[in-house]
Amino acid sequence: MFREKRLIYMTLSVLILVLLGLLIYFLPLIPRKAPAFNPAYSDVRLSDDERIEILLSQMTVREKIGQMALVEKYSVLEAKDVHLYGIGGILSGAGAKPELNTVEGWNAMVDGYVSASEQSRLGIPVLYGVDAIHGHSNVPGATIFPHFIGLGASGNEALVTEVAKATAEELTATGITWSYSPTLDLPKDIRWGRVYETFSDDPALAGRLGVAYLKGLHNKSTSSITRISVLGTLKHYIGAGSMQWNTSSNENYKIDQGKTPADEKALTGVYVEPFKKGVDGGALSVMVGLNSWGDTKLSAEEHLITDVLKNQLGFNGFVVSDWYSVYEIPGGDYRAAVAAINAGVDMVMLPFDYKTFVDNVLRAVAYGHISDERIDDAVRRILRAKFALGLLDGERQRTQDFAKIGSTEHHELARQAVSETLVLLKNDGHVLPINDNPALIRVAGSAADNVGRQMGAWTVEWQGIDGNWLEGGTSILEGIRAAASKETKIEYELGGNFKNINEKADIGIAVVGESPYAEGWGDRELPILNEEDRATIERLRAVSKKVVVVLVTGRPLLIEHELPQWDALVSAWLPGSEGAGVADVLFGKKPFVGTLPLPWPKTIEQVPIRNDGKTADGSEVLFQRFFGLH
Ligand code: BGC
């Protein structure tokens, strides 16, 4: 009898405990009654700050957390989730396209998500984000500008602003309001696969051009313009570009997503400098990197995000985490989200499972692991950017100015930009520019007639597309044919296997370099010219009196041993769709004005370049930063 009673008590206690557990687990998820609706946040006569507070005061916790979610477009399970969850941002990761991959298709896709978000209770539009890092480069037909490293070589702020402005026009034509650019990383190691995404390893130059770019995207040219065109993002905060070889947290990579060894003084000094300029220049969004500082993922770095960026630099926009980086914080999904949000991440690029994220954060708030104040602060920051874009100012403006995309005007601007990015590194006997109408020029090399290589990665596909698939661009060979005088015969052979070898060309132009790569897939232990390119140059040299090498690369390559055999060397970086811009300078129609945005090492032992500009082994580089013949 007694034993039976004990059993009943025990069963009852277990049942109660289970019920209690279930209650604690599910109670936070039960939808609460929403505060009364007050449309005053739409009143444009009030200040943005007043409107933000009115809006915030009527949001449920669930609606606030929804705003903090940034979801990859393929992961949105149903369009209605956008308003049911009140999702704050949707992104197309590189290569994530609409079914109909055209300008119209992009516009319809983005419009679909934005319209869905406008149906939410409070009608807060979603931000749609893309990596417009060298033009609206996800969209076939868009103008493809030089990658940032080339713009760094130009050093021209006004040009950079114009490029960003044109990019913003192409973005807004498809309804896109947010770009994950400019990149302000300082590349210290040419083995890194993202060197070309940066302007320079010089903090002053990176900061100057970053602000110029932001100005163009925001296009808030006068103080009477209160709204920005496209929200820019300073990335990747912080120390990305100085990770150590072989420390990547990604098993496929070597240095990208690795550990940044810099001490606090360097991180908050040299590395912060361009970000400080960007913050002072009106940035409203900053992305934290996928790298780690010591053993801590940057997205969990409360000191660097909250103390330094927000409190010391006074950044009042929102911090967004990079792709899945929050879940790389150890401890499981729940703890990771708590750690990142408490560290100061305001919007989480999940990018996949938003339902679990919303549930986890709802629980974390109910259990007191994340404070209401932290949530309010995050949402206030996100709303600040949305208000700055004018997204809540009434009827949405759909520019749909498709003619802007790949317009003649933008192509001309891109061509001008290319001409300013070229750096002349060697010019024996003044072989360049070619303006004396030589009888025969021979052109060879893997990048001579390959617009895909010129454009590099982040062009329609994440890893780029090799080959001549683009309509509307020009290869460097086409540019050369058009720029040469009528008296000059141009012969082209990809591998330099020319037939009539008895007749020597006056000039041989070898256009060689790297095939497209993005992120850690471009990490290279030894960045050199490949066997095939070297053989091509040798074959061309054998049939030409003088040889000019044009490098199409995302970074300096180690060419110490080959250089003495070349008469001239030009770094063209990744010029984008306008090969004609390269030819303009080779043929003296425009001058060489570019200078190296980073030091060009001689040997691999010289990298990483130290923060004081010295090489790792103390020896002299091949070419100093800012070198360039004119
Ligand atoms: C990159 C970011 C980019 C993001 C979204 C990440 O892999 O590190 O630079 O903005 O993807 O495409």
Side-chain angles (χ1 to χ4, degrees):
M1 185 65 184
F2 178 69
R3 282 188 57 182
E4 268 176 26
K5 258 190 168 171
R6 243 183 79 180
L7 203 72
I8 291 172
Y9 283 143
M10 270 177 66
T11 318
L12 271 175
S13 325
V14 170
L15 250 169
I16 289 170
L17 276 176
V18 169
L19 277 173
L20 217 77
L22 284 173
L23 204 68
I24 292 174
Y25 192 78
F26 286 109
L27 199 62
L29 309 186
I30 295 172
R32 303 293 142 89
K33 194 169 173 286
F37 180 67
N38 172 3
Y41 63 85
S42 307
D43 187 345
V44 290
R45 289 165 309 178
L46 301 177
S47 73
D48 284 359
D49 282 346
E50 287 168 312
R51 294 170 67 191
I52 290 169
E53 292 312 315
I54 297 170
L55 182 50
L56 198 62
S57 68
Q58 53 193 300
M59 291 174 80
T60 63
V61 180
R62 184 182 276 274
E63 283 167 334
K64 290 176 187 172
I65 297 167
Q67 285 299 308
M68 296 168 70
L70 175 56
V71 187
E72 216 292 304
K73 75 133 195 139
Y74 287 127
S75 303
V76 179
L77 302 175
E78 289 178 80
K80 70 173 174 2
D81 278 3
V82 178
H83 60 84
L84 285 183
Y85 283 81
I87 290 172
I90 297 182
L91 84 145
S92 273
K97 41 184 140 342
E99 238 164 78
L100 186 65
N101 196 12
T102 60
V103 170
E104 292 77 9
W106 272 86
N107 181 68
M109 173 183 78
V110 175
D111 192 50
Y113 289 118
V114 179
S115 301
S117 66
E118 286 168 340
Q119 287 164 35
S120 60
R121 188 178 70 91
L122 297 165
I124 307 173
V126 77
L127 286 173
Y128 200 101
V130 293
D131 293 278
I133 60 173
H134 61 150
H136 192 1
S137 54
N138 281 294
V139 178
T143 314
I144 307 297
F145 292 97
H147 269 293
F148 284 151
I149 195 72
L151 296 181
S154 83
N156 183 344
E157 286 160 76
L159 173 79
V160 169
T161 299
E162 284 311 305
V163 166
K165 220 162 134 184
T167 304
E169 282 174 3
E170 299 204 9
L171 286 164
T172 40
T174 49
I176 291 174
T177 43
W178 191 13
S179 174
Y180 308 126
S181 58
T183 312
L184 300 182
D185 302 333
L186 305 178
K188 296 287 172 191
D189 195 326
I190 58 165
R191 292 173 292 185
W192 186 35
R194 306 191 76 166
V195 170
Y196 66 86
E197 290 185 53
T198 71
F199 289 113
S200 170
D201 76 323
D202 176 52
L205 179 59
R208 216 160 43 75
L209 298 184
V211 171
Y213 189 86
L214 198 65
K215 198 167 139 197
L217 276 188
H218 284 188
N219 195 15
K220 199 171 156 296
S221 36
T222 64
S223 52
S224 62
I225 298 175
T226 52
R227 295 306 181 207
I228 60 175
S229 294
V230 167
L231 173 67
T233 302
L234 313 180
K235 72 183 187 183
H236 305 84
Y237 187 83
I238 188 159
S242 76
M243 294 82 61
Q244 255 172 329
W245 183 256
N246 253 339
T247 61
S248 181
S249 56
N250 182 322
E251 56 176 21
N252 297 308
Y253 300 172
K254 288 293 182 191
I255 185 166
D256 191 39
Q257 302 183 14
K259 293 186 179 181
T260 296
D263 57 19
E264 169 147 10
K265 191 162 164 264
L267 265 192
T268 56
V270 176
Y271 290 91
V272 156
E273 190 183 324
F275 286 88
K276 179 174 181 343
K277 289 218 176 89
V279 168
D280 294 344
L284 284 169
S285 156
V286 170
M287 187 188 290
V288 285
L290 289 157
N291 53 321
S292 303
W293 189 37
D295 287 325
T296 311
K297 274 270 154 196
L298 252 296
S299 35
E301 242 311 324
E302 186 175 354
H303 172 57
L304 294 175
I305 300 176
T306 299
D307 300 345
V308 178
L309 176 65
K310 292 183 174 173
N311 296 342
Q312 287 171 24
L313 303 192
F315 174 60
N316 67 3
F318 70 94
V319 169
V320 59
S321 55
D322 200 350
W323 189 269
Y324 202 71
S325 69
V326 160
Y327 294 124
E328 285 165 10
I329 300 169
D333 289 4
Y334 177 88
R335 282 175 188 221
V338 170
I341 292 169
N342 284 338
V345 170
D346 302 306
M347 189 185 264
V348 178
M349 194 190 291
L350 295 162
F352 313 117
D353 179 2
Y354 45 95
K355 297 192 179 184
T356 309
F357 169 77
V358 171
D359 287 356
N360 278 340
V361 182
L362 272 171
R363 280 191 194 104
V365 174
Y367 306 155
H369 292 154
I370 300 176
S371 68
D372 288 314
E373 291 73 34
R374 177 73 267 276
I375 298 287
D376 282 355
D377 173 51
V379 178
R380 208 173 264 127
R381 288 167 178 274
I382 294 163
L383 292 178
R384 192 167 289 137
K386 293 192 174 185
F387 274 100
L389 280 159
L391 298 185
L392 288 119
D393 287 351
E395 187 84 351
R396 179 155 53 100
Q397 302 292 318
R398 296 171 166 86
T399 78
Q400 294 186 349
D401 195 352
F402 299 154
K404 286 273 183 219
I405 297 177
S407 67
T408 313
E409 198 190 341
H410 290 175
H411 276 278
E412 273 163 17
L413 173 65
R415 181 170 174 172
Q416 173 61 27
V418 173
S419 73
E420 296 193 35
T421 66
L422 300 197
V423 184
L424 182 60
L425 293 169
K426 181 178 179 183
N427 197 16
D428 279 2
H430 292 284
V431 57
L432 290 175
I434 308 167
N435 48 17
D436 54 355
N437 305 343
L440 177 61
I441 293 178
R442 287 195 168 118
V443 182
S446 55
D449 192 22
N450 192 329
V451 182
R453 264 183 209 203
Q454 281 165 216
M455 297 188 294
W458 300 93
T459 315
V460 179
E461 294 295 342
W462 182 37
Q463 297 295 322
I465 311 171
D466 211 358
N468 277 334
W469 51 271
L470 183 90
E471 281 171 34
T474 48
S475 73
I476 295 174
L477 173 68
E478 286 171 303
I480 291 174
R481 286 198 200 282
S485 82
K486 290 210 172 57
E487 292 97 79
T488 303
K489 188 175 164 204
I490 307 286
E491 279 185 6
Y492 165 69
E493 214 289 321
L494 175 70
N497 296 299
F498 291 94
K499 294 216 175 72
N500 182 11
I501 52 170
N502 294 328
E503 185 194 359
K504 282 213 171 193
D506 299 279
I507 298 171
I509 305 176
V511 190
V512 291
E514 297 184 301
S515 43
Y517 53 77
E519 302 194 31
W521 294 108
D523 291 348
R524 298 273 182 277
E525 192 156 14
L526 203 59
I528 52 173
L529 276 178
N530 66 32
E531 200 59 40
E532 183 51 35
D533 279 345
R534 275 183 284 159
T536 301
I537 300 173
E538 280 314 294
R539 284 192 285 264
L540 183 66
R541 221 159 67 80
V543 295
S544 313
K545 292 180 202 155
K546 305 263 179 201
V547 72
V548 173
V549 173
V550 177
L551 289 179
V552 173
T553 67
R555 59 182 137 209
L557 298 179
L558 301 172
I559 46 156
E560 185 199 5
H561 299 299
E562 295 90 342
L563 186 61
Q565 284 97 59
W566 306 340
D567 297 285
L569 170 63
V570 176
S571 178
W573 312 107
L574 298 170
S577 57
E578 311 310 303
V582 176
D584 286 340
V585 185
L586 296 180
F587 286 82
K589 298 184 186 338
K590 296 206 176 130
F592 279 101
V593 294
T595 60
L596 286 182
L598 74 174
W600 193 295
K602 204 184 271 182
T603 64
I604 205 63
E605 287 71 33
Q606 295 183 329
V607 300
I609 304 290
R610 296 179 356 190
N611 288 331
D612 61 8
K614 300 231 167 64
T615 56
D617 66 3
S619 59
E620 282 301 307
V621 288
L622 193 59
F623 303 111
Q624 298 285 349
R625 184 204 296 135
F626 299 138
F627 175 76
L629 301 168
H630 298 300

